[in-house]
Amino acid sequence: SPQFVRELDWIDNVWPDTWRHQRKLYPAVQYYCLTSAAGCYTDFHLDFGGTSVWYHVLSGSKEFVLIEPTQENLKVYEEWLCRKDQAQVFLPTMLPESTDVLKIRLEQDQTFIIPSGWIHAVYTPEDSLVFGGNFLHGLDMSMQLTVNSIEVRTRVLERFRFPFFIPTQYYAAGVYLGKLCKGNVTQREVDTLPVIMDALEQWWN
């Protein structure tokens, strides 16, 4: 994975080392290999737990349609998820602003980062081989929790969600306590910490 991903990734930085060696007690989502035949299509979705994604095309190409995660767009996405005719409705046609939709084509040897909360669909114009992974981090805590809330409300099955999502939040909070004591934290992280503290309190209660 890209070096900056490893520097940010909570699985590398907050998950206990003693648990990492027990594969059943470890969020094994950092690395995957995706083989896709030409013509494959994955409909619009959010990556589980609001994770960010790194995506490297080893061979072939990919085309992405991405939707900015504004409050209104996320609301429309949630409504679309719950529609009985979801498969027949192209999500961008429901959005209030067409300028919130981007199209990106990835060619061989290119690497792409999808930030937390960006709704996206993927088309494979030719046979492709991709490496990638998902990661939680401290720069998008609020969006990660927002996506988790959407998953809860739309009743996404547990096996399709980020493994050990809630324990990871608690471990992250413990790490941030240490960072705050040392003054080793960015203002963006400080501004978001109240959101994660509220979530931890609700889960605890």
Side-chain angles (χ1 to χ4, degrees), residues 18-84:
T18 53
W19 285 30
R20 287 173 64 92
H21 303 299
Q22 302 181 44
R23 304 306 272 179
K24 291 183 179 180
L25 297 174
Y26 177 71
V29 298
Q30 292 174 298
Y31 299 100
Y32 60 79
C33 176
L34 178 64
T35 57
S36 304
C40 287
Y41 175 74
T42 302
D43 210 349
F44 289 95
H45 63 283
L46 290 167
D47 277 278
F48 47 43
T51 48
S52 299
V53 183
W54 66 274
Y55 202 92
H56 177 78
V57 179
L58 185 68
S59 63
S61 61
K62 290 280 186 176
E63 293 181 356
F64 290 80
V65 177
L66 300 108
I67 299 172
E68 185 178 355
T70 63
Q71 186 175 1
E72 181 62 28
N73 289 346
L74 288 171
K75 180 180 177 182
V76 170
Y77 170 74
E78 188 170 343
E79 293 171 353
W80 174 78
L81 271 184
C82 298
R83 290 180 62 139
K84 293 181 179 180

Side-chain angles (χ1 to χ4, degrees), residues 6-164:
R6 282 174 271 134
E7 291 173 352
L8 290 174
D9 191 347
W10 279 358
I11 299 175
D12 282 334
N13 296 296
V14 310
W15 195 258
D17 288 336
T18 53
W19 285 30
R20 287 173 64 92
H21 303 299
Q22 302 181 44
R23 304 306 272 179
K24 291 183 179 180
L25 297 174
Y26 177 71
V29 298
Q30 292 174 298
Y31 299 100
Y32 60 79
C33 176
L34 178 64
T35 57
S36 304
C40 287
Y41 175 74
T42 302
D43 210 349
F44 289 95
H45 63 283
L46 290 167
D47 277 278
F48 47 43
T51 48
S52 299
V53 183
W54 66 274
Y55 202 92
H56 177 78
V57 179
L58 185 68
S59 63
S61 61
K62 290 280 186 176
E63 293 181 356
F64 290 80
V65 177
L66 300 108
I67 299 172
E68 185 178 355
T70 63
Q71 186 175 1
E72 181 62 28
N73 289 346
L74 288 171
K75 180 180 177 182
V76 170
Y77 170 74
E78 188 170 343
E79 293 171 353
W80 174 78
L81 271 184
C82 298
R83 290 180 62 139
K84 293 181 179 180
D85 61 347
Q86 174 193 348
Q88 285 74 48
V89 178
F90 189 58
L91 177 59
T93 62
M94 296 176 59
L95 301 177
E97 297 291 338
S98 60
T99 54
D100 292 341
V101 182
L102 306 173
K103 182 180 177 183
I104 294 175
R105 182 183 174 97
L106 284 186
E107 303 289 354
Q108 181 174 327
D109 296 328
Q110 291 185 323
T111 302
F112 184 44
I113 304 295
I114 304 176
S116 176
W118 280 74
I119 307 158
H120 55 284
V122 189
Y123 175 69
T124 307
E126 57 185 313
D127 293 352
S128 66
L129 178 63
V130 170
F131 295 116
N134 296 73
F135 61 104
L136 295 172
H137 57 89
L139 300 179
D140 271 323
M141 287 184 272
S142 181
M143 182 58 69
Q144 289 164 179
L145 292 169
T146 295
V147 173
N148 178 71
S149 296
I150 291 174
E151 291 174 340
V152 171
R153 289 194 299 269
T154 57
R155 300 181 181 180
V156 174
L157 296 177
E158 195 67 33
R159 66 177 180 269
F160 298 127
R161 295 166 65 178
F162 186 91
F164 306 109

